[in-house]
Amino acid sequence: MRIKIVNDGNSFCAELHAILKAQSTENLIVEGVENSDVVISSHLWKQESSESLRVTRRMHPEIPLLVIVDQVPDDEIRNILGMGASGILLQETVSKHIVWAIPAVLNGLLVLPPEISVMISDPAPSPRACQEQSAREKVHRLSHREREVLELIGRGLSNRQIAASLFISPETVKDHVRAIRTKLDVASRIHAARVAWLARDASALDAA
């Protein structure tokens, strides 16, 4: 995966490099936007960042652009998306969402994690709350072993890595993944990881 990082010199840039390398050894940080599969714009959100986003989008409209911010006002979220961003992540939770976010934008999907989605949801009833409840119900259908496999999928592990972690064969992992996708009614591992995070966020809210 060829990734170009556009930033305004903020200190999070080095941390982002480490996160991307830890997620996959196949991630390659490139210099030119034109040589990339996806652009990640890492900014302390302000007017200068807005202009940088506009320029990047105008020069390379065909390349998905994922924006990572430290914080962003509710009313700015729609503005960022309106400028052509393929998705928005927050710095404090990027490490748990980046594993599904990059493949998602590459497949033409809009990426908004729960903590961003809630900012632009209508107060009543909350679509996010419905999604979390549905996700939790689906995850509860899984066996204990299937939940363990799903947790590792959410961390971005391959079938072989999951097999080594759980001391089972890769073929057994494949069987579990097929069962998980069926029970969660999802088309891919990326969507399975998304359901897992929604269910986890719902459980965290209940415990609060």
Side-chain angles (χ1 to χ4, degrees):
M1 185 74 62
R2 297 171 302 172
I3 302 170
K4 167 62 178 177
I5 299 177
V6 179
N7 71 90
D8 57 4
N10 66 76
S11 59
F12 179 71
C13 187
E15 183 178 344
L16 179 58
H17 274 258
I19 291 172
L20 291 170
K21 288 296 184 182
Q23 290 292 343
S24 173
T25 56
E26 298 180 359
N27 285 336
L28 176 65
I29 310 301
V30 298
E31 291 298 324
V33 174
E34 64 278 2
N35 298 321
S36 64
D37 297 309
V38 61
V39 174
I40 297 180
S41 178
S42 171
H43 287 291
L44 301 175
W45 191 253
K46 53 185 180 294
Q47 186 59 41
E48 293 84 351
S49 305
S50 176
E51 183 58 28
S52 175
L53 174 56
R54 287 191 182 92
V55 171
T56 303
R57 193 82 254 122
R58 184 173 63 251
M59 294 180 63
H60 302 281
E62 76 286 358
I63 301 177
L65 193 153
L66 184 62
V67 175
I68 300 177
V69 297
D70 61 332
Q71 57 184 351
V72 60
D74 296 8
D75 58 355
E76 279 297 312
I77 295 174
R78 295 186 189 277
N79 290 338
I80 296 173
L81 297 177
M83 285 184 277
S86 304
I88 307 170
L89 298 178
L90 292 175
Q91 286 185 10
E92 62 181 353
T93 58
V94 66
S95 60
K96 74 175 184 179
H97 291 307
I98 200 76
V99 64
W100 61 266
I102 291 179
V105 296
L106 283 171
N107 282 283
L109 301 176
L110 175 65
V111 167
L112 291 176
E115 55 269 26
I116 291 288
S117 297
V118 70
M119 296 181 185
I120 58 175
S121 296
D122 292 330
S126 168
R128 186 179 78 104
C130 295
Q131 292 175 356
E132 289 176 347
Q133 180 62 29
S134 175
R136 182 165 51 182
E137 291 173 356
K138 289 178 180 178
V139 170
H140 282 173
R141 299 173 193 165
L142 305 180
S143 67
H144 177 72
R145 177 62 86 185
E146 288 166 350
R147 291 185 191 179
E148 289 180 323
V149 172
L150 180 60
E151 171 68 21
L152 297 178
I153 289 175
R155 297 181 189 176
L157 272 63
S158 67
N159 283 358
R160 191 169 296 278
Q161 290 171 320
I162 293 173
S165 178
L166 298 179
F167 303 102
I168 56 180
S169 72
E171 289 302 317
T172 299
V173 174
K174 287 183 181 179
D175 290 339
H176 285 314
V177 172
R178 279 194 290 267
I180 289 169
R181 287 175 55 181
T182 298
K183 292 181 180 180
L184 297 184
D185 189 25
V186 295
S188 68
R189 298 166 70 95
I190 297 170
H191 294 150
R194 167 72 168 165
V195 171
W197 282 115
L198 282 170
R200 178 178 297 179
D201 288 341
S203 298
L205 287 172
D206 286 347

